[in-house]
Amino acid sequence: MKRLRRAALAAALIGAFGALLTPLPAHAAPGSAVGAPCRTDPAAPRDREQARLDDPRTAALTERAGLDAFVRRFPAALCTARDRAGAERLLDAWGTALWQAAVDRAQGLRPGGDLPAADDRPLYWARLAMTVRLDQWRPGFPVDRAALRARFEDASRGLVANEFRGTPGVRRVFVSGFDPFGLDAEPRRGNPSGSAVLRLNGKRLTMADGTVAEFRAVVLPVRYADFDAGIVERAYGPRLAPGPRSAHSVTSISQGYPGLFTLEAWAGRSRSADPYPDNAGALSGGTRQNPVTAPGLGAGAEFIRSTLPDGAMTAVQTPFPVRLNTAVTEIPAGGTAPVDRSDGPTPGSRAVAGGGGGYLSNEVAYRSNRLRLERGRALPGGHLHTPVLTGLPADPAVLTGPEFEGNVLAIGDQVRDILRHGVPAPGGTDGAAAAGR
């Protein structure tokens, strides 16, 4: 599993949405507002992530999914905002409309374009292009740009207006996936975890025990700064609060190892993935020799044990094998050097890496399950790594192909089947005993 970790490291809204399907008024073209000038700054600086939009293939991924109208019409919509409160409402509406369009597309409910429905890449690139337009906007009133971008990001990732229905007798399963990453090396990359959760969001499925469950999902950024700012807690917090719309099970999902799924037994408290950067080019500041604690965590165990029903979930062995990964890397009590262990942490040790390494996939598992323990929720919670998504055509100008598309569907289908075994029946135990070290 040590080699596997290193391989993984290297590798209101209906109205708002309806407005996107109708032509803009002639006087509301991009760069102008109704009855007032609307200023933009095309020379506004781009961050490392936004700079990748210079590659024309990124625009093609958005256009060939039919999501380019969001990017084109967003500047004119911004120009209609008259004050900060109006801007906040607008960003909530447009972000949530983009999220719902991506969900509908992934589930075959929204036609448009010739890319396969399950492709997660168009949502990522459309959202990113819209953040460029947001950064270029120069309204006639003061705004907190960082707060506005965070608001749009949350809405376009499923954190807004995406609650469980709370139907009596229906179980509730909350899952998270991730954006594509490693895009400097290959901008065409997708993330099967993002695709899988888009296909699940809002769906009701019959579980392995015959009960019915509703799924809700978010897609998280591959950026340390967003984790520092609490996006995991904002995503999972409402689903872990007591009440008729709280989750019965939570599972974070990310892309992991070549050729297999792993259910991670342990999540570690530390970041240790440097020199591997995030999507914004940032480093965590932590290495295998010198791990660092992620900001904003407060007191807590060095390792947290998954409470997912690993026996049932690892029984789903096709088309990819599914393994329970009990490996960790720790600095033993009284020691100074990292030690790889195949059987979990030892008492008093310091975390270097959980089963999923020391990157953000490990951190989402730690943060979400730390929150679960804080809330006193004895329910199933843990992390699932998918196989690495392969099959992109050799020609870099070709965006998709049969092998790539088949792998996206196969991984997503198996994610669904594994999760169908991840919630105990009503009246049974609500998860294993909480554990941490």
Side-chain angles (χ1 to χ4, degrees):
M1 286 298 178
K2 175 182 174 183
R3 287 196 301 270
L4 292 177
R5 287 202 303 270
R6 290 179 178 173
L9 186 61
L13 302 169
I14 294 175
F17 179 65
L20 297 175
L21 304 180
T22 58
L24 286 171
H27 56 269
S32 67
V34 178
C38 182
R39 293 178 296 137
T40 62
D41 179 8
R46 298 187 183 189
D47 62 30
R48 170 78 171 271
E49 195 171 18
Q50 293 169 332
R52 298 189 187 101
L53 291 163
D54 290 338
D55 189 319
R57 291 173 294 181
T58 65
L61 284 166
T62 302
E63 293 162 3
R64 290 179 56 185
L67 296 183
D68 52 317
F70 283 90
V71 180
R72 293 196 315 270
R73 300 181 182 189
F74 189 46
L78 288 170
C79 289
T80 66
R82 296 297 187 225
D83 52 32
R84 185 180 64 183
E88 291 173 349
R89 290 191 299 270
L90 185 146
L91 290 170
D92 285 347
W94 276 72
T96 305
L98 176 63
W99 166 258
Q100 192 58 54
V103 168
D104 289 346
R105 191 175 186 284
Q107 297 177 12
L109 303 175
R110 176 187 169 90
D114 62 350
L115 288 179
D119 200 325
D120 69 305
R121 299 172 295 174
L123 170 61
Y124 173 77
W125 292 111
R127 180 197 302 115
L128 194 60
M130 292 170 76
T131 67
V132 170
R133 278 44 172 195
L134 180 59
D135 289 346
Q136 293 173 344
W137 178 46
R138 296 292 180 266
F141 50 88
V143 294
D144 182 335
R145 291 193 173 277
L148 287 181
R149 177 163 176 177
R151 195 174 191 107
F152 174 72
E153 292 265 358
D154 280 7
S156 63
R157 294 179 177 280
L159 276 70
V160 176
N162 193 25
E163 295 82 13
F164 291 106
R165 298 182 185 92
T167 306
V170 175
R171 310 293 278 168
R172 297 180 292 276
V173 181
F174 183 67
V175 294
S176 64
F178 272 104
D179 285 345
F181 63 98
L183 300 169
D184 284 332
E186 176 52 88
R188 296 178 298 164
R189 281 182 177 149
N191 193 321
S193 70
S195 171
V197 303
L198 286 171
R199 292 171 64 191
L200 286 169
N201 188 67
K203 301 282 281 187
R204 288 186 178 179
L205 300 179
T206 300
M207 306 300 276
D209 60 12
T211 62
V212 175
E214 177 186 352
F215 285 74
R216 290 289 164 177
V218 297
V219 175
L220 297 171
V222 184
R223 295 190 298 247
Y224 288 114
D226 294 74
F227 275 54
D228 295 348
I231 193 169
V232 174
E233 289 76 12
R234 294 198 304 276
Y236 279 83
R239 282 80 181 190
L240 290 169
R245 297 191 178 187
S246 64
H248 292 106
S249 175
V250 294
T251 304
S252 52
I253 307 170
S254 65
Q255 179 177 242
Y257 311 121
L260 80 161
F261 282 87
T262 54
L263 197 62
E264 306 301 340
W266 294 95
R269 182 175 174 80
S270 297
R271 294 174 176 174
S272 58
D274 294 355
Y276 193 81
D278 68 5
N279 273 353
L283 298 174
S284 71
T287 66
R288 178 179 166 85
Q289 297 297 325
N290 295 289
V292 298
T293 300
L297 286 180
E302 287 294 308
F303 291 95
I304 297 177
R305 180 68 159 88
S306 168
T307 53
L308 291 170
D310 49 68
M313 296 176 78
T314 56
V316 182
Q317 289 290 320
T318 56
F320 298 95
V322 184
R323 298 180 187 170
L324 177 65
N325 181 16
T326 58
V328 300
T329 303
E330 66 176 16
I331 298 175
T336 58
V339 175
D340 295 320
R341 296 186 59 87
S342 62
D343 56 352
T346 57
S349 66
R350 183 182 179 193
V352 176
Y359 196 47
L360 292 171
S361 58
N362 168 78
E363 189 169 325
V364 67
Y366 186 90
R367 284 182 178 270
S368 59
N369 283 282
R370 179 180 178 276
L371 188 61
R372 174 178 59 79
L373 293 173
E374 276 188 349
R375 299 283 174 88
R377 301 302 307 280
L379 53 80
H383 189 82
L384 177 67
H385 265 122
T386 75
V388 172
L389 177 58
T390 59
L392 280 170
D395 183 346
V398 180
L399 300 181
T400 189
E403 182 182 357
F404 178 77
E405 295 171 15
N407 288 339
V408 170
L409 291 174
I411 293 172
D413 287 348
Q414 194 167 350
V415 166
R416 177 200 61 211
D417 292 343
I418 293 169
L419 293 173
R420 287 181 59 248
H421 291 77
V423 186
T429 59
D430 207 26
R437 290 185 185 174

